[in-house]
Amino acid sequence: MDMLKKYFPFSFQEKKDLVALLINVIIYLVVGILAGVVIGLLSGIPVLNIIIGLVGAIVDLYVLVGIVLSCLDYFKLLK
């Protein structure tokens, strides 16, 4: 669990109500969208196309796991 808190510190912040959880999820989504825009702009470069695709997949996975961990922490399913 300490490793998860190290890599996803924003997911384990104190969330007192549903609005705080929604703000946390929206922040993750905005970061994912911004990364997607940057990746979309850089994907036109032929040399970087494969590397940018891998980075995009990793960013998408990070955002998804962060949102799931935020929800699990809010509903107190993680110890």
Side-chain angles (χ1 to χ4, degrees):
M1 183 60 87
D2 291 333
M3 181 185 270
L4 285 177
K5 288 182 181 180
K6 180 180 174 185
Y7 291 115
F8 298 95
F10 197 65
S11 295
F12 293 102
Q13 289 181 347
E14 184 68 29
K15 294 177 253 339
K16 296 181 181 182
D17 56 359
L18 186 61
V19 175
L21 174 65
L22 289 177
I23 290 172
N24 197 344
V25 169
I26 290 171
I27 289 173
Y28 269 115
L29 289 176
V30 168
V31 168
I33 290 170
L34 291 176
V37 168
V38 171
I39 289 167
L41 292 174
L42 293 176
S43 67
I45 302 171
V47 176
L48 297 177
N49 197 10
I50 295 173
I51 296 169
I52 296 300
L54 291 174
V55 170
I58 292 170
V59 168
D60 288 342
L61 184 63
Y62 181 84
V63 168
L64 177 68
V65 170
I67 291 172
V68 169
L69 287 175
S70 291
C71 293
L72 290 175
D73 185 51
Y74 177 75
F75 293 116
K76 305 290 186 224
L77 297 174
L78 294 176
K79 294 181 181 185

